[in-house]
Amino acid sequence: MSDVQEATNQLLDVNLDENWRSIQVTGSDPRSESEHLQVTVGATVPTGFEQTAADEVREKLGSSCKISKDRGKIYFDISVESLAQVHCLRSVDNLFVVVKQFKDYQFKETKEEVLKDFEELAGKLPWSDPLKVWKINTSFKKKKTKRKKMNQSSGKEKIDNGQGDKTDEKDDKKGFTNNTLDSHILDYYENPAIREEISTLVGDDLASCKDEKDESSKEETHPEVLKFRVTCNRAGEKHCFSSNEAARDFGGAVQDHFKWKADMTNFDVEVLLNIHDNEIVVGIALTEESLHRRNITHFGPTTLRSTLAYGMLRLCAPQPTDIIVDPMCGTGAIPIEGATEWSNCYHIAGDNNPLAVNRAANNISSLLTKSQIKEGKVSWGLPIDAVQWDICNLPLRTGSVDIIVTDMPFGKRMGSKKRNWNLYPACLQEMSRVCRPGTGRAALLTQDKKCFTKALSGMGHVWRKVHTVWVNIGGLHAAVYLLKRTPQAFVHPSEQDRERTPW
């Protein structure tokens, strides 16, 4: 919640007078309008987790949310003051402000007539308020980036002091000591790899900051024409036109209307044309890249999206002091997301592959580095550990874990379908041992549904299936199984066989 408050403060600091000067609006004072400006924001979310995203919107923004019939999208109304909080939502991938929504658009019979209607539509849409929101959103991102660069500059000074002669190094360490910085954090910042990563990041940002100043001075004297592109996302079988044809003709009309310059790669504004059967939604993108990439810097062959990791964790409803384990963590997307959002729980990331554990540890270190630079002060870390272990023989006490959340091998990129028939039953058995009877729960993602269902059928005495969420993972039809640990105490199979054997 601290991230939300900080982001809100940053947005409120934006000089609205400066923002509005660059937008030509006739009529009443734009600043007074902005105070009451209400817009509809659309968000793409992991398919199957639309309800989870809607619940987060209601919880954090207090806004009612509508789930679209087009899977993977939600819509909600906000005031412009809440724009920063929207960017802090953990369950959304991309954001856009809605220009106009047509719930039952009547398409003409021929392709030429439909495309002609698209051309005429561009000049009839209410662009004014959405463009105001886009402008504020862009200014907010620039202001946030500048603050980040200022913090990084101060962070770089500390790091450079540590790279100087011995006298400077002593003075630097003394200054860190005065700030109650422990020796292990000093070792962390003296790590050459981490130091190089921060220095590169700071150097690049300082250079870009200089470029921004030069560009802003140019814009004041010679305002540049905005560059744009139109992206069409179409779903439905009854359309007589292609996505490219719709984007081409609609984009041409937008260009004629605003006199903008078309650019498919280096664009300022991205106009969205979403078509699902008879529903059309025109919007303006508020995110340049998906928010699901927020935590991961070291990717593996099967890195899970952070938004999907959040949805899986939220299904289990973590409570303060819960111990949450990902026994097959890969790059650590799930435990890192958990430690970021549920910092009052303890998270353990484990994997049998040393490369995976190393990637998870590096992602944790990168996140700590970003936190240190962002806050400009000592960061005491996250409630998370990374361990190498055997999933079928976990070094954890029986009944000591509250929640298990993991992405199980699909048998595609990792492992094989044949191995899963032995792996899945062994995993479920070991998970039932460490999971707390009666209250423990698990959210397990897999595409190998047949194998999982078979393995679960033999574990009915320790696991009860509560819910199944169907998701799309890179074009693969997968499922998240929410399981509840039964009250029955765990009995090792060898002990069961001994009980059954007559003396």
Side-chain angles (χ1 to χ4, degrees), residues 432-446:
S432 69
R433 181 186 70 81
V434 300
C435 201
R436 200 180 304 278
T439 60
R441 52 261 191 224
L444 309 178
L445 169 66
T446 180

Side-chain angles (χ1 to χ4, degrees), residues 82-274:
S82 302
L83 188 57
Q85 296 179 13
V86 173
H87 281 273
C88 293
L89 294 173
R90 313 296 296 184
S91 57
V92 302
D93 289 318
N94 291 285
L95 297 165
F96 59 94
V97 57
V98 174
V99 177
K100 184 74 173 179
Q101 181 178 16
F102 302 90
K103 295 183 178 180
D104 188 19
Y105 187 87
Q106 299 299 315
F107 292 100
K108 298 291 178 60
E109 294 183 359
T110 65
K111 179 195 298 187
E112 290 74 17
E113 290 177 316
V114 173
L115 297 179
K116 182 67 175 177
D117 285 349
F118 282 158
E119 293 178 6
E120 296 175 355
L121 182 64
K124 301 177 182 178
L125 295 173
W127 297 98
S128 179
D129 284 354
L131 281 174
K132 291 177 186 177
V133 174
W134 172 84
K135 185 67 178 179
I136 294 175
N137 185 74
T138 303
S139 300
F140 157 62
K141 287 192 294 185
K142 288 182 178 178
K143 192 173 184 69
K144 185 177 180 181
T145 302
K146 289 179 181 178
R147 290 191 178 186
K148 177 182 176 183
K149 290 167 185 171
M150 291 174 63
N151 290 334
Q152 289 171 344
S153 298
S154 61
K156 184 175 185 294
E157 289 176 4
K158 294 180 181 179
I159 295 165
D160 289 343
N161 287 339
Q163 292 175 336
D165 54 30
K166 292 183 179 179
T167 304
D168 293 338
E169 187 173 340
K170 289 180 180 178
D171 293 339
D172 190 43
K173 289 189 177 181
K174 184 177 179 181
F176 273 122
T177 305
N178 291 337
N179 287 315
T180 65
L181 185 63
D182 289 342
S183 60
H184 71 280
I185 299 184
L186 278 174
D187 294 337
Y188 171 71
Y189 275 99
E190 290 172 355
N191 184 318
I194 298 299
R195 195 162 54 196
E196 181 181 355
E197 179 181 344
I198 299 176
S199 300
T200 303
L201 180 64
V202 173
D204 292 344
D205 282 341
L206 288 176
S208 63
C209 185
K210 183 179 178 181
D211 294 339
E212 276 187 10
K213 289 181 180 179
D214 295 339
E215 289 177 4
S216 61
S217 61
K218 290 179 182 178
E219 288 177 0
E220 291 177 359
T221 55
H222 303 287
E224 293 186 6
V225 177
L226 288 177
K227 291 177 284 187
F228 85 105
R229 83 172 185 187
V230 172
T231 302
C232 179
N233 302 299
R234 185 181 61 86
E237 300 177 355
K238 298 180 180 180
H239 302 140
C240 59
F241 56 91
S242 67
S243 299
N244 288 335
E245 291 171 335
R248 179 197 64 204
D249 288 38
F250 183 73
V254 170
Q255 184 177 24
D256 293 340
H257 181 73
F258 289 104
K259 308 304 178 185
W260 291 343
K261 181 180 178 182
D263 194 321
M264 297 298 103
T265 54
N266 187 28
F267 51 87
D268 302 302
V269 184
E270 183 177 17
V271 179
L272 304 175
L273 181 62
N274 297 328

Side-chain angles (χ1 to χ4, degrees), residues 14-34:
V14 174
N15 190 328
L16 291 177
D17 287 332
E18 182 180 343
N19 294 336
W20 294 119
R21 289 194 196 105
S22 58
I23 303 176
Q24 297 178 355
V25 183
T26 59
S28 59
D29 179 25
R31 176 165 182 168
S32 61
E33 288 181 9
S34 69

Side-chain angles (χ1 to χ4, degrees), residues 302-439:
T302 59
T303 300
L304 192 69
R305 290 155 60 186
S306 296
T307 47
L308 183 55
Y310 174 85
M312 293 173 64
L313 284 158
R314 192 177 172 104
L315 280 179
C316 296
Q319 301 299 314
T321 73
D322 274 354
I323 295 177
I324 306 176
V325 173
D326 181 354
M328 294 178 277
C329 69
T331 56
I334 293 173
I336 288 175
E337 183 67 24
T340 304
E341 182 69 9
W342 289 277
S343 58
N344 51 7
C345 299
Y346 182 58
H347 305 262
I348 305 177
D351 203 289
N352 70 331
N353 189 332
L355 293 177
V357 176
N358 187 49
R359 289 192 192 102
N362 286 333
N363 283 323
I364 296 170
S365 296
S366 297
L367 193 62
L368 287 171
T369 303
K370 291 178 185 177
S371 177
Q372 172 78 23
I373 294 173
K374 178 181 177 182
E375 298 176 7
K377 60 182 180 180
V378 177
S379 176
W380 297 109
L382 295 169
I384 183 173
D385 273 322
V387 186
Q388 183 179 353
W389 58 27
D390 177 8
I391 175 59
C392 300
N393 189 23
L394 298 174
L396 300 171
R397 287 185 303 192
T398 300
S400 61
V401 175
D402 297 288
I403 296 174
I404 298 174
V405 183
T406 195
D407 175 11
M408 303 183 75
F410 287 11
K412 298 281 188 180
R413 297 178 190 171
M414 297 293 291
S416 66
K417 296 274 189 180
K418 185 176 181 180
R419 287 183 57 192
N420 284 350
W421 285 97
N422 294 323
L423 177 64
Y424 279 21
C427 287
L428 286 173
Q429 179 178 294
E430 183 65 358
M431 290 177 188
S432 69
R433 181 186 70 81
V434 300
C435 201
R436 200 180 304 278
T439 60

